[in-house]
Amino acid sequence: SSPVPTLATDKVYKITFAKGEHGKLTGQDENGKVVIPNILSGSSVPTAPAATADPGYTFIGWNPKLAGTVTADGTYVAQYIKSEKDWKTITFDKGLNGTLEGQTADGKVIKSDILINSTFPAAPKVTPVKGYEFTGWSPVLPGKVTMDGTYVAQYKKITENWKTITFDKGLNGTLEGQNGDGKVIKSDILVDTTFPAAPKVTPEKGYKFKNWSPVLPGEVTSDGTYIAQYEKVVEDWKTITFDKGLNGTL
């Protein structure tokens, strides 16, 4: 134990141990301190209280370093460092068909410095692009953080919002890019978007392309088939007449 002052002229000092920012001390008061008063000058610095670091931190000593003897009042503050292995980073990725609230330029929301075994952070709000709906995260979000992880937003098509437009060559011509059935098919067109460009029509000789039936709309609102229509080029068609003559029949 420290020497007890015996004379009024004996100098006594107070040593204070403070818990610091990331831990606590055995026997600390409501202010996070252990105060030892009435220590006679020249006495050994009292034994420091045990410091217990908060989760994710490690106690590394006192600041300033503990002196050997007491020569004045002194305060020693517990020091800690992060235990890097105990802090994790969770990344949310927007995926292919949507955006995340607060995302970075590359479509991510990154939550770092999350203490291991703590509650998993709230996922950002997902806004799907038109024609899709958000279905969840891959992998499934866990209840607690146990490791670094990346979670990607998943979507599925809203089937009724995607349409197929078919162009048919009709009777007297061909279409650029047509298939074996004389059709050009444009699928996966989002409803209420601009109607796709029609393929080039090449009429057969003696015909000219007239229009499409039905008339092409401005926007896609449903599946549809549009047939090329033609009309004869009158001056390209002639009439040949055979006559039986005077002494026979045909």
Side-chain angles (χ1 to χ4, degrees):
S1 60
S2 300
V4 176
T6 55
L7 300 174
T9 56
D10 287 339
K11 289 185 177 181
V12 293
Y13 298 104
K14 175 176 68 176
I15 296 298
T16 300
F17 296 96
K19 70 181 182 66
E21 292 188 357
H22 299 291
K24 59 185 178 181
L25 305 179
T26 299
Q28 70 181 32
D29 60 20
E30 61 183 10
N31 297 315
K33 295 177 180 177
V34 173
V35 181
I36 304 174
N38 299 321
I39 303 173
L40 188 62
S41 179
S43 301
S44 297
V45 170
T47 301
T52 302
D54 292 338
Y57 291 87
T58 301
F59 172 67
I60 58 171
W62 298 93
N63 184 32
K65 186 177 179 180
L66 299 182
T69 57
V70 175
T71 58
D73 291 336
T75 297
Y76 298 92
V77 181
Q79 304 295 301
Y80 310 86
I81 59 170
K82 263 188 175 182
S83 300
E84 295 299 334
K85 65 181 178 60
D86 291 336
W87 297 88
K88 305 302 178 184
T89 297
I90 299 300
T91 302
F92 296 97
D93 189 302
K94 71 180 181 68
L96 295 177
N97 297 296
T99 57
L100 306 181
E101 186 173 49
Q103 71 181 29
T104 60
D106 58 351
K108 293 179 173 59
V109 171
I110 300 173
K111 299 190 177 185
S112 55
D113 285 342
I114 303 173
L115 185 60
I116 194 170
N117 293 325
S118 61
T119 301
F120 196 85
K125 179 182 177 182
V126 180
T127 302
V129 297
K130 192 172 182 180
Y132 289 86
E133 63 181 342
F134 172 65
T135 59
W137 297 93
S138 179
V140 175
L141 305 185
K144 290 187 174 183
V145 175
T146 58
M147 63 181 74
D148 295 330
T150 296
Y151 299 84
V152 183
Q154 304 296 301
Y155 309 85
K156 70 175 183 180
K157 275 186 174 180
I158 302 173
T159 305
E160 58 268 26
N161 286 354
W162 297 87
K163 304 303 177 183
T164 297
I165 299 300
T166 302
F167 296 97
D168 188 304
K169 71 180 182 65
L171 296 177
N172 302 111
T174 58
L175 304 180
E176 186 174 51
Q178 69 181 32
N179 61 22
D181 297 324
K183 295 178 173 61
V184 172
I185 299 173
K186 299 190 177 185
S187 56
D188 285 342
I189 302 174
L190 186 61
V191 70
D192 295 331
T193 56
T194 301
F195 196 84
K200 179 182 177 182
V201 180
T202 301
E204 295 173 355
K205 191 171 183 179
Y207 291 87
K208 64 180 179 180
F209 172 65
K210 183 178 179 183
N211 55 27
W212 295 95
S213 179
V215 174
L216 304 184
E219 291 189 344
V220 175
T221 58
S222 61
D223 294 330
T225 297
Y226 299 84
I227 303 173
Q229 304 296 303
Y230 307 86
E231 62 183 6
K232 277 186 174 182
V233 180
V234 177
E235 58 270 25
D236 288 346
W237 294 84
K238 306 302 179 184
T239 300
I240 302 298
T241 303
F242 295 95
D243 190 299
K244 70 178 181 63
L246 295 175
N247 298 298
T249 59
L250 300 178

